[in-house]
């Protein structure tokens, strides 16, 4: 009998230590340094009960954790906020001061924590985004960066122009549309073409949901798989036993595995097709990401590595760019003086703006795009006021480190509260208003309310340091290519008058997307 009780007692002792005392000791360590844990700590469940209760009692306009922090600690919360997710303690960074160390002075110690990677392991695999800094990470990043270099973007820009032009013809037939859904679909087509080639125009794959199999567009399937991967955090058995993150045992998990495999099998068929083409012609046609990776020594013999990076790029680029464009259109509809200022710039730079689409598409090129200063400011402001990724994935430092008066333990989970950093009132004049001029060096809004230069890490839509997003240039060129085509000869007008003063919040990591309907109005020549 003792052979049964001893292991059981040891197991219970381990759980009590791991789920309570270990977490409580770490909380005490940070509370002594002044960090508050406003959501409290319930053994096993951590901060979830208090956050869930908050969500039941309040309408959350942004990501629930951000709304909870603002509710508990005010619109300008302290530098750090403590949270506990299950047994995982986490430090939220709400201000720019620690980022000076993370991105600049101590950047060599800045790294990724496996918490987010474990959630999305099945969906995105061992993507470079989640890898800790090592030789493989550096090699992957170098190859992908070269695939997205400015010269490589030329053909991708041509593809985006064509798809944007085709899409506008379809939208004009509708007259009124849900821009959240329609722009997401357009960007899925765009990114799929840039990743896999123009002829891969968002094909359908099998998708299982609640036991039933249906056909779903590849882009939508990938996006929903990302969402389902993130939602795993709230499955009860994973809250109780996070050691099971890599085991897909629930019904939802099994369906996720099936759906992810459909996308992966499609990419495998593409890889096979491209290799067969290469065997016949001796070359890979096109400047898409897949063709670039197939020609690289690091990737060419590792299909799974290729699939992981293609899926990561698609999921990161498609939804974030779609969010930026959608929010931008809403703010233009709310601020018609800004819209008129932008149209004047586009009319000045583009002789075919407002004329035939075919001529405008032909005129748009990489050089002309560089002349869109106000459009660039509009893009920057769209991803400031509503950053597509409101919270960073999990990060850490690789040794105990003092940052902004607090000692952060090695391997502690850090999450950068990007949305809050973009809204701290000591850095941004009228932070809750859409003002593109705040990125114009000649504007008063370029400075802080005190009249001093903003801190260099107060604007971080793509994070920073060695972990800065590789898709930064791609996102900007996508926006500055597609928007002129969309606005040429037409206006987008909100059909819901309430949204003229208060639009629904929209970011890429929301579980439930808003519906925002807009009407296309032709501009009379």
């Amino acid at each position: 009998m003792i052979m049964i009780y001893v292991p059981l007692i040891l197991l219970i002792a381990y759980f009590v230590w791991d789920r309570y005392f270990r977490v409580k000791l770490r909380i005490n360590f940070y509370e002594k340094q002044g960090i508050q844990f406003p959501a409290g700590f319930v053994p096993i469940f951590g901060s979830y009960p208090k956050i869930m209760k908050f969500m039941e009692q309040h309408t959350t306009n942004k990501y629930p954790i951000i709304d909870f922090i603002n509710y508990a600690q005010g619109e300008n919360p302290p530098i750090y906020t403590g949270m506990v997710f299950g047994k995982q303690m986490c430090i939220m960074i709400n201000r720019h001061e620690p980022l000076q160390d993370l991105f600049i002075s101590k950047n060599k110690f800045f790294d990724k924590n496996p918490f987010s990677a474990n959630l999305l392991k099945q969906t995105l695999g061992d993507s470079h985004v989640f890898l800790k800094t090592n030789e493989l990470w550096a090699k992957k990043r170098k190859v992908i960066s070269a695939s997205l270099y400015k010269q490589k973007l030329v053909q991708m820009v041509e593809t985006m122009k064509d798809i944007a032009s085709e899409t506008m013809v379809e939208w004009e037939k509708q007259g009124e549309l849900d821009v959240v859904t329609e722009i997401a679909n357009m960007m899925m087509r765009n990114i799929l073409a840039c990743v896999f080639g123009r002829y891969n125009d968002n094909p359908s794959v099998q998708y299982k949901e609640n036991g039933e199999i249906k056909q779903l567009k590849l882009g939508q399937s990938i996006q929903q798989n990302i969402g389902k991967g993130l939602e795993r955090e709230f499955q009860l058995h994973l809250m109780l036993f996070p050691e099971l993150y890599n085991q897909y045992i629930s019904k939802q998990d099994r369906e996720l595995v099936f759906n992810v495999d459909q996308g992966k099998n499609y990419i495998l068929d593409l890889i096979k097709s491209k290799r067969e083409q290469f065997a016949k012609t001796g070359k890979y046609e096109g400047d898409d990401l897949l063709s670039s990776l197939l020609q690289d020594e690091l990737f060419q013999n590792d299909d799974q590595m290729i699939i992981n990076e293609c899926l990561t790029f698609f999921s990161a680029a498609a939804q974030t760019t779609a969010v930026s464009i959608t929010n931008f259109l809403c703010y233009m509809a709310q601020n018609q003086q800004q819209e008129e200022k932008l149209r004047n710039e586009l009319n000045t730079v583009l002789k075919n703006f407002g004329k035939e689409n075919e001529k405008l598409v032909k005129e748009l090129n990489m050089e002309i795009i560089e002349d869109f200063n106000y459009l660039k400011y509009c893009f920057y402001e769209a991803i400031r006021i509503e950053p597509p990724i409101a919270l960073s994935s999990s990060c850490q430092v690789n040794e105990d480190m003092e940052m902004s008066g607090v000692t952060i333990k090695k391997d502690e989970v850090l999450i950068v509260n990007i949305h809050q950093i973009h809204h701290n009132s000591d850095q941004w004049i009228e932070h809750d208003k859409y003002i593109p001029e705040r990125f114009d060096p000649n504007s008063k809004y370029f400075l802080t309310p005190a009249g001093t230069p903003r801190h260099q890490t107060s604007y971080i839509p793509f994070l920073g340091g060695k972990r800065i997003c590789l898709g930064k240039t791609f996102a900007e060129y996508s926006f500055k290519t597609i928007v002129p085509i969309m606005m040429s000869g037409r206006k987008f007008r909100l059909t819901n008058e309430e949204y003229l003063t208060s639009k629904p919040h929209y970011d890429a990591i929301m579980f439930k997307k808003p519906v925002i309907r807009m009407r296309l109005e032709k501009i009379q020549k």
Side-chain angles (χ1 to χ4, degrees):
M1 187 67 70
I2 193 170
M3 298 300 291
I4 297 175
Y5 284 126
V6 169
L8 183 60
I9 291 170
L10 290 175
L11 182 62
I12 293 172
Y14 167 77
F15 269 84
V16 172
W17 160 254
D18 188 60
R19 281 5 183 215
Y20 181 74
F21 287 107
R22 183 187 64 82
V23 180
K24 190 63 177 173
L25 285 171
R26 294 183 89 81
I27 290 175
N28 290 343
F29 174 79
Y30 289 106
E31 285 184 332
K32 288 178 181 178
Q33 300 184 76
I35 295 180
Q36 299 176 26
F37 285 73
F41 165 58
V42 177
I44 298 177
F45 296 102
S47 301
Y48 287 121
K50 200 163 185 178
I51 294 173
M52 300 293 278
K53 184 177 181 180
F54 166 79
M55 291 172 63
E56 290 175 2
Q57 296 176 345
H58 299 83
T59 300
T60 55
N61 298 316
K62 301 182 280 293
Y63 200 70
I65 293 173
I66 298 174
D67 277 326
F68 177 81
I69 290 173
N70 291 146
Y71 170 79
Q73 298 186 301
E75 288 190 3
N76 289 301
I79 295 176
Y80 300 109
T81 298
M83 291 284 179
V84 184
F85 303 116
K87 71 165 190 173
Q88 184 65 66
M89 207 208 71
C90 166
I91 301 295
M92 310 286 295
I93 299 175
N94 303 314
R95 289 189 54 80
H96 60 272
E97 287 89 348
L99 304 183
Q100 174 74 23
D101 288 328
L102 285 181
F103 296 165
I104 302 169
S105 60
K106 300 176 182 178
N107 189 237
K108 66 179 179 179
F109 303 108
F110 180 45
D111 218 332
K112 286 292 181 178
N113 183 281
F115 180 63
S116 298
N118 288 337
L119 278 176
L120 296 171
K121 180 79 172 179
Q122 180 66 33
T123 312
L124 300 178
D126 295 318
S127 161
H128 80 280
V129 171
F130 301 115
L131 280 180
K132 286 191 175 183
T133 303
N134 55 28
E135 186 178 357
L136 177 60
W137 169 82
K139 287 181 177 179
K140 280 187 172 185
R141 190 171 174 87
K142 183 177 180 181
V143 172
I144 296 168
S145 179
S147 300
L148 299 174
Y149 187 65
K150 187 173 178 180
Q151 289 306 113
K152 290 278 189 176
L153 289 175
V154 172
Q155 186 55 50
M156 292 184 180
V157 164
E158 292 301 313
T159 298
M160 288 187 280
K161 290 194 302 183
D162 291 341
I163 291 176
S165 183
E166 294 166 8
T167 301
M168 293 316 303
V169 173
E170 297 169 6
W171 286 0
E172 285 180 345
K173 293 176 182 177
Q174 296 181 45
E176 184 178 311
L177 57 147
D178 173 14
V179 288
V180 170
T181 299
E182 294 296 336
I183 293 176
N185 288 338
M186 177 182 69
M187 288 313 304
M188 286 175 192
R189 291 178 61 196
N190 264 307
I191 306 304
L192 282 170
C194 292
V195 174
F196 302 126
R198 180 66 172 98
Y199 57 90
N200 293 287
D201 200 1
N202 209 7
S204 295
V205 294
Q206 286 189 325
Y207 189 85
K208 184 182 288 188
E209 190 169 28
N210 298 324
E212 296 184 5
I213 294 178
K214 58 183 178 181
Q215 293 294 310
L216 195 67
K217 292 294 186 182
L218 176 62
Q220 292 171 296
S221 173
I222 295 173
Q223 290 294 349
Q224 291 193 30
N225 291 340
I226 297 292
K228 296 293 184 183
L230 291 172
E231 287 176 7
R232 296 186 72 229
E233 182 181 350
F234 301 98
Q235 292 186 26
L236 180 60
H237 72 285
L238 294 178
M239 288 185 186
L240 296 171
F241 303 103
E243 295 86 355
L244 298 175
Y245 266 140
N246 291 327
Q247 305 301 315
Y248 291 76
I249 55 180
S250 68
K251 178 184 177 182
Q252 298 97 311
D253 285 349
R254 292 195 300 273
E255 289 188 346
L256 176 62
V257 171
F258 175 87
N259 295 332
V260 169
D261 284 345
Q262 305 312 301
K264 289 181 177 179
N265 290 337
Y266 176 80
I267 301 173
L268 281 172
D269 288 341
L270 281 181
I271 291 172
K272 180 180 178 181
S273 174
K274 282 183 175 285
R275 285 189 176 132
E276 289 173 351
Q277 178 196 53
F278 178 78
K280 294 177 182 178
T281 64
K283 64 178 181 179
Y284 289 102
E285 294 182 3
D287 291 315
D288 54 273
L289 179 62
L290 178 57
S291 294
S292 295
L293 296 182
L294 282 168
Q295 297 174 70
D296 183 81
E297 184 178 352
L298 175 66
F299 284 90
Q300 60 188 195
N301 296 315
D302 192 327
D303 292 353
Q304 191 57 55
M305 190 184 294
I306 292 174
I307 290 170
N308 292 342
E309 299 305 336
C310 285
L311 286 174
T312 298
F313 179 76
F314 171 82
S315 59
Q319 191 62 22
T320 54
T321 310
V323 167
S324 303
I325 293 175
T326 301
N327 287 333
F328 156 81
L329 287 178
C330 292
Y331 286 114
M332 286 293 102
Q334 289 179 338
N335 301 278
Q336 295 187 29
Q337 285 186 331
Q338 295 170 353
E339 181 182 6
E340 194 60 31
K341 185 174 180 178
L342 175 58
R343 288 186 182 279
N344 289 337
E345 177 182 82
L346 296 175
N347 267 314
T348 301
V349 177
L350 297 165
K351 64 182 180 181
N352 289 300
F353 182 73
K355 299 177 183 177
E356 294 180 26
N357 252 9
E358 293 176 1
K359 292 182 179 179
L360 176 62
V361 167
K362 189 174 181 180
E363 182 185 4
L364 267 174
N365 57 49
M366 297 284 280
E367 288 72 30
I368 285 181
I369 286 172
E370 296 286 1
D371 294 333
F372 297 150
N373 287 323
Y374 194 67
L375 181 57
K376 178 175 67 176
Y377 301 155
C378 290
F379 170 65
Y380 289 167
E381 179 67 346
I383 59 179
R384 180 204 68 86
I385 195 167
E386 292 185 75
I389 305 296
L391 298 170
S392 76
S393 57
S394 54
C395 307
Q396 66 178 50
V397 288
N398 291 328
E399 62 176 43
D400 291 1
M401 184 177 300
E402 192 277 329
M403 295 191 306
S404 299
V406 172
T407 297
I408 302 295
K409 287 284 190 180
K410 172 186 176 183
D411 298 337
E412 204 75 86
V413 174
L414 303 174
I415 294 180
V416 182
N417 188 346
I418 299 173
H419 187 278
Q420 183 61 51
I421 289 168
H422 285 185
H423 284 268
N424 284 319
S425 60
D426 65 329
Q427 292 293 304
W428 304 94
I429 299 173
E430 298 180 274
H431 68 89
D432 57 343
K433 292 185 178 180
Y434 181 86
I435 305 174
E437 287 76 9
R438 68 176 80 248
F439 294 97
D440 180 354
N442 298 315
S443 170
K444 70 174 184 178
Y445 293 100
F446 191 72
L447 302 174
T448 68
T452 58
R454 287 194 298 267
H455 194 275
Q456 60 184 322
T457 59
S458 64
Y459 181 68
I460 52 161
F462 302 100
L463 281 188
K466 66 183 180 183
R467 288 289 177 171
I468 193 167
C469 176
L470 288 177
K472 176 179 181 295
T473 303
F474 179 89
E476 186 169 338
Y477 274 97
S478 298
F479 185 93
K480 293 196 293 186
T481 297
I482 294 169
V483 165
I485 295 173
M486 294 176 67
M487 294 184 66
S488 179
R490 59 188 71 85
K491 294 180 179 180
F492 289 78
R493 291 292 173 255
L494 291 161
T495 60
N496 188 330
E497 291 189 3
E498 291 182 11
Y499 295 169
L500 289 172
T501 54
S502 180
K503 65 173 285 296
H505 180 81
Y506 179 35
D507 67 52
I509 58 176
M510 297 173 73
F511 294 141
K512 185 177 181 180
K513 304 290 190 287
V515 174
I516 304 176
R517 298 197 66 81
M518 300 191 85
R519 181 177 63 256
L520 266 68
E521 294 181 357
K522 286 212 136 192
I523 297 175
Q524 300 300 320
K525 298 179 183 179

